Amino acid sequence: PGSLDGAGVYVNKASSVSAIKNATDNETAYANSTGRILDGSEYLTLFDGKTGKALDTIYYEPARGTVSDWGDNYGNRVDRFLAGVAYLNGSTPSAVMCRGYYTRTVIAAYDVVNKKLSQKWLFDTNDNGNSDYAGQGNHNLVAADADGDGYDEIIYGSMTVDHNGKGLYTTGLGHGDAIHVGDLMPNRSGLEVYQVHEDTYGASLRDAKTGSIIQRWSASS
């Protein structure tokens, strides 16, 4: 709330807005005494790259919901965002918006269709069958064709989400900071993922397609 587009119009009031109803007051300051924003609406806006005019605005997903659902009640974990661009269909780019990596993780993919934002899929570790993926994220993500099928996957720390929004695998090695993806071992087929973990997990090198651990280093080694 309070953001203006290139035409000087509040993004949640722009004439092209397709999904905003009862838009939040643009005059209210939503940051609390610690600087965290735990209330008020959140938006995702598509802008004209030449003029900055808002073309489409929707409510942001992954949505904040209840702050404590993300692992604490003061707003540290709910305000962990990542984003990227991935060729999920192998030919055109999709925007990938993410929230959470310490506990709950939600990843949403969007396409631009006729100058409108269209959600392609949403992956939530709270959904049935996804609980093993919780708490596996990093402070960064990588979009890469992990399984060699011609479509990008989202490599999100110790887990990888397939191009169709379904979980591909999780190593279960938990949260970490640095992650690098590429043909790190040219003498073997496919891509590899090198990840630095926190706590006692150290670092790991894995097969990008299957998650199989090639080598692992403990934090004390």
Side-chain angles (χ1 to χ4, degrees), residues 114-135:
N114 296 322
K115 297 187 178 182
K116 300 287 185 182
L117 290 163
S118 175
Q119 190 176 105
K120 193 178 188 74
W121 50 253
L122 187 143
F123 175 90
D124 190 341
T125 59
N126 277 3
D127 289 346
N128 287 339
N130 292 341
S131 60
D132 289 346
Y133 290 79

Side-chain angles (χ1 to χ4, degrees), residues 131-154:
S131 60
D132 289 346
Y133 290 79
Q136 303 300 313
N138 263 42
H139 292 289
N140 60 328
L141 62 79
V142 175
D145 183 7
D147 54 10
D149 61 0
Y151 309 104
D152 278 348
E153 279 71 48
I154 307 303

Side-chain angles (χ1 to χ4, degrees), residues 10-28:
Y10 287 117
V11 295
N12 61 352
K13 300 287 190 179
S15 59
S16 58
V17 168
S18 62
I20 301 302
K21 297 179 180 178
N22 301 319
T24 308
D25 178 12
N26 284 296
E27 305 303 319
T28 301

Side-chain angles (χ1 to χ4, degrees), residues 137-217:
N138 263 42
H139 292 289
N140 60 328
L141 62 79
V142 175
D145 183 7
D147 54 10
D149 61 0
Y151 309 104
D152 278 348
E153 279 71 48
I154 307 303
I155 301 170
Y156 203 84
S158 294
M159 70 183 213
T160 295
V161 176
D162 209 349
H163 67 275
N164 58 6
K166 307 295 183 183
L168 186 62
Y169 66 79
T170 174
T171 67
L173 294 180
H175 163 70
D177 292 338
I179 190 170
H180 304 280
V181 181
D183 190 8
L184 306 179
M185 300 178 68
N187 60 331
R188 68 183 302 276
S189 62
L191 303 181
E192 294 82 34
V193 180
Y194 176 77
Q195 181 181 4
V196 179
H197 306 274
E198 287 193 354
D199 300 320
T200 60
Y201 292 113
S204 64
L205 180 70
R206 72 177 189 255
D207 183 280
K209 180 177 180 178
T210 66
S212 175
I213 302 300
I214 300 169
Q215 190 170 348
R216 185 173 169 188
W217 300 263

Side-chain angles (χ1 to χ4, degrees), residues 14-93:
S15 59
S16 58
V17 168
S18 62
I20 301 302
K21 297 179 180 178
N22 301 319
T24 308
D25 178 12
N26 284 296
E27 305 303 319
T28 301
Y30 288 91
N32 63 19
S33 60
T34 63
R36 300 190 182 280
I37 299 175
L38 306 181
D39 192 18
S41 296
E42 299 171 316
Y43 307 108
L44 182 63
T45 298
L46 175 70
F47 295 97
D48 182 293
K50 190 173 184 179
T51 67
K53 180 181 178 180
L55 299 176
D56 191 29
T57 296
I58 60 176
Y59 284 113
Y60 181 84
E61 284 194 78
R64 180 193 300 116
T66 302
V67 170
S68 59
D69 287 348
W70 300 86
D72 63 52
N73 59 10
Y74 61 92
N76 177 35
R77 286 169 167 79
V78 73
D79 272 352
R80 297 291 178 154
F81 300 95
L82 294 176
V85 174
Y87 286 76
L88 300 172
N89 65 1
S91 59
T92 56

